[in-house]
Amino acid sequence: MANCRDCGPGYKTPLDAMKGPKEEIVYLPCIYRNTGIDKPDYLATVDVNPKSASYSQVIHRLPMPNVKDELHHSGWNTCSSSFGDVSKKRNRLILPSLISSRIYVVDVGTDVRAPRLYKVIEPVDIYWKCGLANPHTTHCLGNGEIMISAIGDPSGNGKGGFILLDGETFEVKGNWEKGNKIPALGYDFWYQPRHNVLMSTEWGVPKIFANGFNPADLKKGCYGRYINVWDWTAHTYMQSIDLGEDSVPLEIRFLHSPDAAEGYVGCALSSAVHRFYKTEKGTWVTEQVIQVPNKKVKGWLLPEMPGLITDILISLDDRFLYFSNWIHGDLRQYDISNTRKPKLVGQVFLGGSITRGGPVTVLEDPELQCQPEPFVIKGKKVAGGPQMIQLSLDGTRLYVTTSLYSGWDKQFYPDLIREGSVMLQIDVDTKKGGLTVNKDFLVDFGKEPHGPVLAHEVRYPGGDCSSDIWV
């Protein structure tokens, strides 16, 4: 494998990335909005090196200069899409704010263990130059630009467009999309240039989901149901694929191989995973390949409880698919050697809403014989359920956090607001499948200096399987 320091950012191929260095630190945005604590969100640096004296501890905190931003996901100024360009260096982390619509650019190059704020892009720049708001997913492009999906417009309505940033100056350049045809909603995206396609998904209308979930809003068209297909070179919206009124498709992933013409999307509310693929005619279609059955319950918001698939990942060798059921409380591993027939090979319960002794009674469950025990690690009963997940480059360690979004955390898991979220590490059997909790690893964000906080997405300094795209 070529030395990455000599040939630009990232790795030449996904399989090369699997041979990359073991992670020693990770970055997580930590959110105070909706917790009752009037402090800024911050970027936490966590030590994940088992040989370190500060293993599984927060070793640095970078507070943002504003309050109530709702930091959420993060991305890079450059990544493996620019491999081979020696002028590029992965040294800036992009932190969009889901609610305030600010975008923070963080310098992680000067001191990787102690990031510092580099630039703030104010919401007015995005409003005026793009007509967009509520930025979500960040991906670096091979041409040096940075692309960020938006969920809404400046008035809080839904709008599925994209923001382009200059990769050197971080100025807002304008919209990526061209033409008048734009999806009504936005959320996540992934692109695959060899098939001239970008796929985007839909969460909901920002002013509707901002403070909680009301099932009645589904019938009003306030939540997403489509995968949206874009022409990569023309930047135009071509096709929508309807996954159903109750689907709410969130995270979308192509297989990592740049030649692959297929991938998966996790649908939160319908608790289904759909495989999308390119037909011989060049159009894109989907088929449902996994269904997590609802559980009949009492003591909950609805009489039937969905799993609520909120994050999905694919290992860099395209062999395993992972996803979290935030409400049911389990994390799953599927063998996708046959992409049309994923096989469940690993499962672990890490909290959730159906634990024994809680307010919910399960009346009918197609999968479990009894309600799982509450999840306790190092003496702490974990609130919430598994949510954001990140896989080590070699595929043997899975990091998990438990907060979804502050407004929904407050509604579905009030204990999470009071006690803070956690970060866990799961050991992965990559030979025959299997997930096992590492009992020595716990980051308890309930013990932070300013009080309990909600930690979200995990990022590695050198890139990972949800940040990097190969072209």
Side-chain angles (χ1 to χ4, degrees), residues 311-377:
D311 197 13
I312 69 169
L313 282 181
I314 298 172
S315 61
L316 286 167
D317 57 2
D318 291 334
R319 191 178 158 212
F320 292 110
L321 171 75
Y322 300 86
F323 67 78
S324 51
N325 283 311
W326 189 58
I327 295 293
H328 286 179
D330 60 316
L331 184 66
R332 300 189 181 204
Q333 176 192 23
Y334 286 79
D335 185 326
I336 53 169
S337 301
N338 178 348
T339 55
R340 297 195 66 184
K341 294 184 178 179
K343 179 184 176 185
L344 180 64
V345 293
Q347 183 178 22
V348 63
F349 277 83
L350 304 169
S353 294
I354 58 164
T355 53
R356 191 192 301 268
V360 174
T361 302
V362 177
L363 305 175
E364 193 176 311
D365 191 333
E367 293 186 316
L368 302 178
Q369 298 300 313
C370 60
Q371 293 181 231
E373 294 296 326
F375 178 67
V376 179
I377 182 168

Side-chain angles (χ1 to χ4, degrees), residues 285-304:
V285 295
T286 63
E287 60 177 349
Q288 183 180 301
V289 291
I290 300 170
Q291 178 66 62
V292 177
N294 288 353
K295 302 178 190 299
K296 290 187 179 177
V297 297
K298 68 175 181 179
W300 196 66
L301 175 70
L302 298 166
E304 291 205 6

